[in-house]
Amino acid sequence: YRSHTLRVAMTVEQVRAATFVIRYALHDGPGGDAPVAITAHTRMATFDLAAQRPRRLDAAEKAWLGEWA
């Protein structure tokens, strides 16, 4: 535990037909020069709840995710 401010940087990578990866870097301080304390990633998959199966990302979704790359 630390009582000071941390900074989380997030990016999107590997945008594919139905999946993408979110990467996180937790910096030990709010400044741009603060060292990275820990990294993580989450693989996300789009899912059609009605059909109960994965679904493809459409062009608009891929474009929006691309803004975070």
Side-chain angles (χ1 to χ4, degrees):
Y1 171 78
R2 294 193 175 135
S3 62
H4 66 275
T5 303
L6 302 175
R7 181 172 56 90
V8 178
M10 298 172 61
T11 58
V12 174
E13 300 178 349
Q14 301 176 24
V15 178
R16 303 197 191 288
T19 64
F20 57 95
V21 173
I22 302 172
R23 292 212 176 267
Y24 317 89
L26 180 65
H27 294 262
D28 192 15
D33 60 344
V36 174
I38 191 166
T39 61
H41 72 273
T42 304
R43 179 168 301 278
M44 305 292 289
T46 52
F47 193 78
D48 182 332
L49 292 174
Q52 288 295 295
R53 62 181 174 85
R55 68 168 183 82
R56 292 188 175 271
L57 289 159
D58 64 31
E61 291 169 325
K62 285 183 177 182
W64 186 80
L65 288 168
E67 293 177 17
W68 298 95

